[in-house]
Amino acid sequence: MKKLMTLASVLALTAGAAAAQDISVGVSPGQHGEIMEQVAKIAAKDGLNIDIVEFSDYVVPNQALADGDIEANSFQHRPYLERQMEDRGFDLVEVGTTINTPMSLYSEDFASPEEIPDGATIGIPNDPTNGGRALLVLQQKGLLTLAEGVGLVPSVLDIAENPRDIRIQELDAAQLPRSLQDLDAAMINTNYAIASGLDPVNDAIATETDSPYVNIIVVRAGDENEPWVEPLVKAYHSDEVKAFIDEKYKGTVLTSW
């Protein structure tokens, strides 16, 4: 009996080793990378080894995924993915939700949107989805008015009313925190704000409300049923990861599950 148990144990260990799998997951700097580090620890218990690949912008992670350089990415919200697939022809699919990170307005000179003077220059991301998102927040805060029916991806051409003559400067999203000293204000994504040392709770002068921009885990179409997908999503949605997010970000990053 002892030999049988020992053999069974060996077979179980062998089966576990055979089931182990390595994948690469692309992330953007800041909270997406930090959270994925925690996800990797949980996933390793199920035999899934995650190599985290950090990208410095929002364009390359989807290209890398489409090219087969990585197996999944975790950095974007649904509207951005949809626009990328439309513009670049990517065949990608969502397999799970992750977090929501409200976009905020920052300024080194003014304490509220109301203090921003006429003729001020406000920076926004230069990609269509996050730029549109930024414009919607500026509208929420009364700084400008967009044309009706623009949806989630308005552009500066959709500004219908600009009574304060606000000048919009479009910059790469990752550059906005560094450019803040040269702007009157800037709309900055939470991940880039945190990565640059800004505190979304204490430093932001206005924050997005009623956001539809839930972030997602994305894979290539056809890979959604691969055996590593379920443990990846399961690890992300674990109680341990949720506790980490709640403790680490204290309300600036919200879980979707």
Side-chain angles (χ1 to χ4, degrees), residues 131-140 146 150-154 213:
R133 181 182 185 183
L135 291 171
L136 289 169
V137 178
L138 294 178
Q139 178 174 248
Q140 282 182 359
L146 299 169
V150 294
L152 295 177
V153 286
Y213 298 93

Side-chain angles (χ1 to χ4, degrees), residues 27-240:
V27 299
S28 56
Q31 75 272 20
H32 286 293
E34 294 167 350
I35 295 170
M36 191 55 64
E37 290 177 0
Q38 304 304 312
V39 172
K41 295 176 184 178
I42 304 301
K45 300 175 184 178
D46 287 335
L48 180 62
N49 302 314
I50 299 175
D51 177 35
I52 302 170
V53 183
E54 188 171 284
F55 295 92
S56 61
D57 65 25
Y58 282 158
V59 177
V60 180
N62 281 329
Q63 186 67 62
L65 179 58
D67 290 344
D69 297 329
I70 56 178
E71 281 67 48
N73 65 42
S74 176
F75 77 101
Q76 64 192 320
H77 47 63
R78 289 169 180 150
Y80 184 78
L81 173 64
E82 292 169 359
R83 185 60 180 261
Q84 283 265 294
M85 291 195 296
E86 179 182 344
D87 290 349
R88 297 174 179 269
F90 297 142
D91 193 9
L92 308 175
V93 295
E94 170 191 342
V95 294
T97 61
T98 59
I99 56 175
N100 188 17
T101 54
M103 182 180 277
S104 295
L105 181 65
Y106 296 84
S107 175
E108 294 186 353
D109 301 311
F110 308 105
S112 70
E114 291 75 21
E115 291 185 14
I116 295 175
D118 292 355
T121 300
I122 298 179
I124 67 170
N126 63 1
D127 66 89
T129 306
N130 285 294
R133 181 182 185 183
L135 291 171
L136 289 169
V137 178
L138 294 178
Q139 178 174 248
Q140 282 182 359
K141 307 310 172 184
L143 290 165
L144 49 80
T145 301
L146 299 169
E148 293 186 7
V150 294
L152 295 177
V153 286
S155 73
V156 292
L157 299 177
D158 295 311
I159 297 175
E161 297 179 18
N162 188 4
R164 295 168 63 176
D165 194 28
I166 299 296
R167 293 191 292 269
I168 301 298
Q169 184 167 345
E170 298 175 283
L171 298 169
D172 183 82
Q175 295 179 359
L176 284 166
R178 297 191 297 271
S179 303
L180 191 57
Q181 61 184 351
D182 300 318
L183 301 165
D184 294 297
M187 291 297 310
I188 303 176
N189 295 82
T190 297
N191 58 313
Y192 289 125
I194 292 175
S196 68
L198 292 169
D199 182 343
V201 172
N202 296 311
D203 295 334
I205 65 171
T207 297
E208 174 183 45
T209 56
D210 302 322
S211 171
Y213 298 93
V214 175
N215 286 267
I216 51 180
I217 299 171
V218 177
V219 304
R220 286 183 296 279
D223 284 355
E224 55 265 42
N225 294 318
E226 287 294 310
W228 48 265
V229 172
E230 182 178 353
L232 171 60
V233 177
K234 176 185 174 184
Y236 206 114
H237 290 182
S238 65
D239 292 340
E240 295 93 331

Side-chain angles (χ1 to χ4, degrees), residues 1-48:
M1 179 63 69
K2 185 175 181 180
K3 288 184 178 181
L4 290 174
M5 290 179 63
T6 302
L7 179 59
S9 299
V10 171
L11 290 174
L13 289 172
T14 303
Q21 190 164 2
D22 298 335
I23 65 168
S24 295
V25 178
V27 299
S28 56
Q31 75 272 20
H32 286 293
E34 294 167 350
I35 295 170
M36 191 55 64
E37 290 177 0
Q38 304 304 312
V39 172
K41 295 176 184 178
I42 304 301
K45 300 175 184 178
D46 287 335
L48 180 62

